[in-house]
Amino acid sequence: MKKIVLGSAFLALSAFSTGCIISSGDDGSGSGVDDPQGLIDVSWKIRTTASQADLGCPTGVTTVAFHVQPVDDNNNDTGSEQIDLFNCTDGHGTAGETDVDAPDALPFGFYRTFAVFSSTGGAQKYAETPQWPDGLADDEREDIADASTPAHASKSYDVFTDGGYFSLGWSFAGGATCTSAQSDGVSAIATVSGGSAAADEVFHCTAGFGISGGYGAGNYTAAVTALDGNVGIGTPKTKTFSIATQNAVTDLGDVVLDAN
């Protein structure tokens, strides 16, 4: 996803699961293990959409559960999910940093990741990071970690106290495909209600799905159009929606776009 900011109002995340491997997370200082294993460094900031400053963990938010799910070459889930638990106030940790023979060691590979912020034990969820659909093989999705080599993979999250995101899917009228529609992208220009500030989210057409960057809470209208290069195809399709707080994702559903 590419984000083109046109106004200053914008700035370009599941609870604890059962049947998963849960481990106490490491703080990233190193385990001294020489055997090969996948390692994922994760960090986070709690902030507002208007500030880069880290506000720290809200009162009662003590735990970050970092979910790590192995995926195949098409980003389909495979194998067992692992959950590493970190102290929220640490701001960072490393998943998989343990004895290589332990059940929570990560084999080399690719992983779908997301993080849940909650009270101790997960009883009260505060926020979670966005999740992409299973099997979406798009190189712009932001949740896939490449832990296929000894080098550490990394994931960094912003958790917005005052905003969230929107997601949408798309298809073409008449059963057209991206190729037959001569489209290489999909644009969603979001405008805040009652204002002129706007941001253009541009997604890969073939993905069929996208998640925006972060928006402040409020009411918006999105004009969604297929793109042929930088040129819009047909009439923009409009969606009105609201953005909530605490990193929530608002689903706009599927949009049927015009084809060339």
Side-chain angles (χ1 to χ4, degrees), residues 206-219:
T206 54
F209 177 87
I211 299 178
S212 72
Y215 287 75
N219 299 318

Side-chain angles (χ1 to χ4, degrees), residues 128-149:
E128 67 181 65
T129 61
Q131 297 185 57
W132 276 254
D134 183 35
L136 178 63
D138 180 62
D139 63 7
E140 288 191 348
R141 59 185 289 177
E142 298 173 1
D143 62 332
I144 301 299
D146 179 358
S148 62
T149 71

Side-chain angles (χ1 to χ4, degrees), residues 7-253:
S8 59
F10 301 105
L11 267 178
L13 50 159
S14 124
F16 291 83
S17 301
T18 59
C20 303
I21 299 171
I22 302 179
S23 67
S24 177
D26 189 271
D27 64 1
S29 60
S31 65
V33 175
D34 295 325
D35 300 292
Q37 60 183 1
L39 295 168
I40 306 174
D41 295 331
V42 57
S43 61
W44 53 87
K45 288 184 178 180
I46 314 293
R47 66 186 189 91
T48 69
T49 55
S51 171
Q52 296 294 324
D54 187 351
L55 303 177
C57 300
T59 301
V61 179
T62 60
T63 305
V64 177
F66 184 52
H67 292 242
V68 181
Q69 170 67 52
V71 294
D72 61 20
D73 292 342
N74 294 313
N75 292 335
N76 290 298
D77 291 354
T78 180
S80 298
E81 180 187 59
Q82 174 177 314
I83 304 173
D84 283 79
L85 304 180
F86 304 105
N87 294 322
C88 186
T89 53
D90 288 347
H92 64 90
T94 299
E97 194 157 44
T98 184
D99 188 287
V100 74
D101 294 322
D104 54 342
L106 296 177
F108 286 145
F110 288 81
Y111 294 86
R112 177 176 63 83
T113 67
F114 66 98
V116 179
F117 295 72
S118 69
S119 61
T120 302
Q124 187 75 30
K125 185 175 75 173
Y126 176 76
E128 67 181 65
T129 61
Q131 297 185 57
W132 276 254
D134 183 35
L136 178 63
D138 180 62
D139 63 7
E140 288 191 348
R141 59 185 289 177
E142 298 173 1
D143 62 332
I144 301 299
D146 179 358
S148 62
T149 71
H152 289 217
S154 64
K155 284 292 157 190
S156 179
Y157 298 115
D158 286 324
V159 180
F160 298 114
T161 63
D162 65 340
Y165 315 81
F166 68 85
S167 65
L168 76 160
W170 56 84
S171 58
F172 286 92
T177 65
C178 293
T179 299
S180 64
Q182 301 177 34
S183 173
D184 54 4
V186 171
S187 165
I189 300 176
T191 306
V192 64
S193 297
S196 59
D200 190 1
E201 308 280 346
V202 180
F203 308 99
H204 285 160
C205 180
T206 54
F209 177 87
I211 299 178
S212 72
Y215 287 75
N219 299 318
Y220 295 84
T221 299
V224 186
T225 314
L227 297 175
D228 181 354
N230 294 320
V231 179
I233 299 172
T235 303
K237 312 304 178 185
T238 60
K239 289 276 188 175
T240 58
F241 60 98
S242 297
I243 294 290
T245 59
Q246 296 176 206
N247 235 53
V249 179
T250 300
D251 183 10
L252 305 191

